[in-house]
């Protein structure tokens, strides 16, 4: 996973190793908060499935060894751009990342 980040930073991505990768799909908001955030909460609010749950990129980073131990060697995350603040009665909020409000701002 780390080698891909280095390749992206340099601007050159060798895709020859991509076929056969085992990809773990992550809904960022639902996966994991960083341990320093979750341990600082005295009584974490349970996620009801319709609102934000607080998963973070730092939480995902902390869980990379867990993902690799399951045999995955790549991750695919939901969009992390700023989402619409809209709340509807059926689907809740834009926790899934697919109600983009601004493609140039990270949420």
């Amino acid at each position: 996973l780390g080698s891909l980040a280095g390749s992206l930073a340099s601007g050159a991505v060798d895709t020859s190793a991509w076929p056969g990768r085992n990809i773990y799909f992550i809904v960022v908001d639902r996966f994991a908060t960083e341990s320093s955030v979750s341990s600082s909460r005295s009584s974490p609010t349970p996620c009801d499935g319709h609102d934000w749950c607080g998963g973070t990129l730092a939480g995902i980073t902390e869980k990379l060894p867990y993902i690799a131990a399951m045999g995955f060697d790549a991750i695919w995350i939901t969009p992390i751009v700023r989402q619409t603040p809209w709340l509807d009665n059926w689907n809740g909020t834009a926790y899934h990342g697919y109600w983009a409000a601004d493609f140039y701002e990270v949420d």
Side-chain angles (χ1 to χ4, degrees), residues 62-99:
E62 289 179 2
K63 297 291 186 179
L64 290 178
Y66 164 76
I67 294 168
M70 291 190 295
F72 294 97
D73 54 6
I75 59 171
W76 170 10
I77 63 171
T78 53
I80 57 171
V81 297
R82 186 168 61 82
Q83 299 298 299
T84 62
W86 183 52
L87 172 66
D88 74 27
N89 294 327
W90 297 278
N91 299 309
T93 63
Y95 68 85
H96 44 68
Y98 293 102
W99 292 352

Side-chain angles (χ1 to χ4, degrees), residues 3 8 18 20 29 35 37 39 44 48 53 56 69 74 83 86 90 99:
S3 63
L8 291 174
W18 290 9
D29 181 64
S35 59
V37 170
S39 64
D48 71 2
C53 293
T56 63
Q83 299 298 299
W86 183 52
W90 297 278
W99 292 352

Side-chain angles (χ1 to χ4, degrees), residues 3-24:
S3 63
L4 177 58
S7 297
L8 291 174
S10 70
V13 177
D14 178 9
T15 60
S16 63
W18 290 9
R21 292 282 184 179
N22 295 306
I23 302 170
Y24 191 82

